[in-house]
Amino acid sequence: MIGRAKFNVFAVRAEELIEDRPELIAVVGPLLKARKAIEQQTDDLDRKVLKLARYDAQVRRFMTVPGVGPITALCFKATIDDPTRFKRSRSVGAYVGLTTRRHASGEIDWTGRISKCGDAMLRSYLFEASRCAADPCAEMVGAKGLGDEARQAKWAP
């Protein structure tokens, strides 16, 4: 068994296991090389995103909001583009799809779920940012499924 794929343990352990088996080297070797190439590409893309965020004053201001990182800030800037096209700040929420649906006719008037109009990726990033800002301990625990009682018990003073 290889074990958990944390850090570089997976690749090292896989190479140890296929070391004396040429039939596995032929199959698993290229997969490990591809995995390493993907990790390098991901690291390069992360550096480029951080560089874009570092040299843009508006993106840096967005990142001062708790829970908002470089990807969320860059996505927000790219989606909104020119903020002067919105007359009110409330219009931005409607543009992204964060306002509730309303149905009103005659005597019926109900407010439903969010409209989900607009950019789904930005909306999901904003939801994730709000989750991180509302509950900073959730990331430290590392388990999304833990209830509030478990988090409070683990991180209580």
Side-chain angles (χ1 to χ4, degrees):
M1 177 175 258
I2 291 180
R4 294 185 70 176
K6 285 180 88 173
F7 306 111
N8 212 10
V9 175
F10 177 83
V12 171
R13 181 76 176 123
E15 287 174 0
E16 289 173 359
L17 290 172
I18 66 170
E19 196 172 86
D20 299 330
R21 302 181 70 184
E23 70 278 2
L24 288 178
I25 291 174
V27 175
V28 178
L31 293 174
L32 291 174
K33 288 179 185 174
R35 183 177 186 266
K36 187 170 185 162
I38 290 171
E39 286 175 353
Q40 289 174 346
Q41 286 288 351
T42 304
D43 292 343
D44 290 344
L45 289 173
D46 283 343
R47 277 193 293 280
K48 287 178 183 178
V49 165
L50 290 173
K51 187 177 179 181
L52 282 172
R54 185 179 302 125
Y55 293 116
D56 191 328
Q58 190 176 26
V59 171
R60 283 197 320 267
R61 260 183 274 137
F62 290 152
M63 289 171 51
T64 61
V65 175
V68 175
I71 293 175
T72 304
L74 286 167
C75 185
F76 188 83
K77 182 177 180 182
T79 302
I80 301 304
D81 191 31
D82 181 19
T84 59
R85 63 187 171 131
F86 299 102
K87 291 183 181 179
R88 292 178 285 165
S89 61
R90 249 187 304 183
S91 302
V92 175
Y95 179 76
V96 176
L98 293 174
T99 57
T100 56
R101 289 182 186 218
R102 296 216 46 179
H103 176 73
S105 66
E107 296 176 3
I108 300 173
D109 185 17
W110 61 266
T111 304
R113 298 179 175 175
I114 62 170
S115 64
K116 295 186 181 178
C117 299
D119 190 357
M121 185 169 42
L122 175 61
R123 196 169 45 255
S124 66
Y125 287 158
L126 292 174
F127 272 116
E128 185 65 23
S130 67
R131 189 189 70 78
C132 291
D135 192 8
C137 291
E139 189 174 318
M140 292 189 330
V141 171
K144 229 176 182 178
L146 288 179
D148 289 332
E149 300 83 19
R151 273 197 296 270
Q152 289 171 357
K154 180 154 178 104
W155 298 105

